[in-house]
Amino acid sequence: MGFLKNQFSSVIEWNENGAGILFYKFQNQEIKKGSRLIIRPGQDAIFLYNGRVEGIFVEDGDYDIESDIIPFLTTLKSFKFGFSTPLRAEVLFINTKELMVKWGTKNAINLPAPGLPGGMPIRAFGAFNCRVAAHDVLIEKLAGIRQTYTVGDVKERIIASLDQLLMSWISKEGRDMFNLQADARNIAKGIESELDADMRTLGIAISGFTIESFSYPEEIRKMQEKAAAQSMVGDMNKYTQMAAADSIGKGGGSGAGMASDMVGLQMGMAIGQQMVNQMNMGGQNAAPQMQGQPAAQGGNGPKFCPNCGTPTTGSRFCGNCGTQLL
């Protein structure tokens, strides 16, 4: 900040010691001969005389007030410094950088929801960006009565209207109250446009607004987790079928894991059942062929008894004389 020397200012500057300041009004109005003005990167300097803007300086650098500044002032071009005639003017420093501010709802917002007579309480968190947009509006609305204006002041004004804006934009287009995060970008864009229009009446622009997260009550979160778990269980059969098909396509290698083991077991059971069915069918087909047939014939037995000449009919002994035939 500027400092005093011999009752008058010798250097007019702003060191931005306080973070998040949008403008700072130099405290001493008396500027003596030989004083210098220092403008740092990201700053503009505005000279005010009797409440009127005399000149705006936007290039950073070190300037001599008498030779570099006064010749460009509107009504003070012929001002001459004297021993007892310091320049009585105000210098307003403007922060031209874009600043980011975190925000969060102070209280839970009760949103209308089916089945909940009192509404569903939620909280929201995010960030916004702001910057000075119009010097003349800022000076007219704020600089005349304020020594400084900070992002904290901007945040306070935004938070005051944020609850109503959130409720308004969330309720539009029948959004799902239980899945607001999926539409957070569109909600944020709508809120940004309204906040920007409001803050520009003070010469400040809202150049960005984001919603990082919505926070639901603990009971709602538990219900969501339970619903998600039930949905996963319902999809397990589909998952198993897909995993089995994938395993078969890859040859059922050892890397197929549990799905491969299940497929192998199911295929083994199917093959075993098929073999049993075939054996049962084979047994049923063979039985009629065995019925009514004589005992197995010897492959080299005689057709007639060598002792009495009686036909053997495939027997091991002659039916007439009892002679052993095999």
Side-chain angles (χ1 to χ4, degrees), residues 170-301:
I170 288 174
S171 301
K172 287 184 178 181
E173 302 176 6
R175 291 188 171 95
D176 182 1
M177 297 295 106
F178 299 94
N179 192 24
L180 293 175
Q181 197 62 42
D183 210 16
R185 181 179 177 84
N186 293 330
I187 296 172
K189 283 297 181 183
I191 294 175
E192 178 186 333
S193 64
E194 295 201 33
L195 290 177
D196 183 58
D198 176 54
M199 292 304 301
R200 282 185 182 272
T201 61
L202 301 179
I204 297 171
I206 302 301
S207 52
F209 186 89
T210 59
I211 299 175
E212 295 178 2
S213 65
F214 289 98
S215 177
Y216 294 90
E218 184 65 25
E219 295 79 3
I220 298 297
R221 288 200 297 270
K222 289 181 179 179
M223 291 173 59
Q224 290 175 327
E225 292 173 358
K226 184 176 181 180
Q230 292 175 344
S231 176
M232 289 180 64
V233 171
D235 290 340
M236 281 301 293
N237 289 336
K238 293 182 179 179
Y239 170 78
T240 303
Q241 293 171 0
M242 292 175 64
D246 183 64
S247 175
I248 294 174
K250 294 180 179 179
S254 59
M258 182 180 69
S260 176
D261 294 340
M262 294 177 63
V263 172
L265 178 61
Q266 291 174 353
M267 291 180 65
M269 294 175 63
I271 294 173
Q273 184 64 41
Q274 184 177 6
M275 292 177 64
V276 170
N277 292 340
Q278 291 177 348
M279 291 177 66
N280 290 338
M281 292 178 63
Q284 293 174 359
N285 293 334
Q289 297 176 4
M290 297 295 294
Q291 294 177 1
Q293 291 186 3
Q297 297 181 1
N300 299 319

Side-chain angles (χ1 to χ4, degrees), residues 8 48-49 56 65 97 128 148 169 182 193 212 312:
F8 300 124
L48 303 172
Y49 184 72
I56 300 176
I65 295 293
K97 297 182 291 293
F128 66 86
T148 63
W169 281 94
S193 64
E212 295 178 2
T312 60

Side-chain angles (χ1 to χ4, degrees), residues 103 105 109 124 162-170 191 211:
W103 64 267
T105 51
I109 304 171
L162 191 56
D163 287 5
Q164 292 298 324
L165 288 174
L166 279 167
M167 185 175 296
S168 173
W169 281 94
I170 288 174
I191 294 175
I211 299 175

Side-chain angles (χ1 to χ4, degrees), residues 35-164:
S35 295
R36 304 193 66 79
L37 171 68
I38 297 177
I39 304 178
R40 291 181 168 81
Q43 296 179 356
D44 289 349
I46 302 176
F47 274 75
L48 303 172
Y49 184 72
N50 291 335
R52 294 177 54 185
V53 176
E54 289 290 323
I56 300 176
F57 302 90
V58 298
E59 297 293 334
D60 56 278
D62 189 340
Y63 301 92
D64 179 83
I65 295 293
E66 184 176 14
S67 61
D68 299 329
I69 301 299
I70 289 181
F72 296 95
L73 301 181
T74 304
T75 61
L76 298 174
K77 292 180 180 180
S78 60
F79 181 84
K80 301 297 182 183
F81 281 104
F83 179 75
S84 60
T85 57
L87 175 62
R88 296 181 179 274
E90 294 178 317
V91 181
L92 185 68
F93 287 95
I94 302 291
N95 188 346
T96 62
K97 297 182 291 293
E98 186 177 73
L99 304 175
M100 186 182 74
V101 188
K102 293 285 187 178
W103 64 267
T105 51
K106 288 184 177 180
N107 303 305
I109 304 171
N110 288 320
L111 298 175
L116 298 175
M120 180 172 62
I122 68 166
R123 295 176 182 270
F125 306 89
F128 66 86
N129 299 330
C130 63
R131 59 178 177 82
V132 175
H135 294 160
D136 54 343
V137 178
L138 185 74
I139 293 169
E140 178 186 354
K141 297 295 182 67
L142 297 174
I145 58 176
R146 301 288 295 263
Q147 187 72 32
T148 63
Y149 199 75
T150 68
V151 292
D153 297 316
V154 178
K155 180 179 179 180
E156 184 178 352
R157 185 181 179 102
I158 285 178
I159 293 298
S161 60
L162 191 56
D163 287 5
Q164 292 298 324

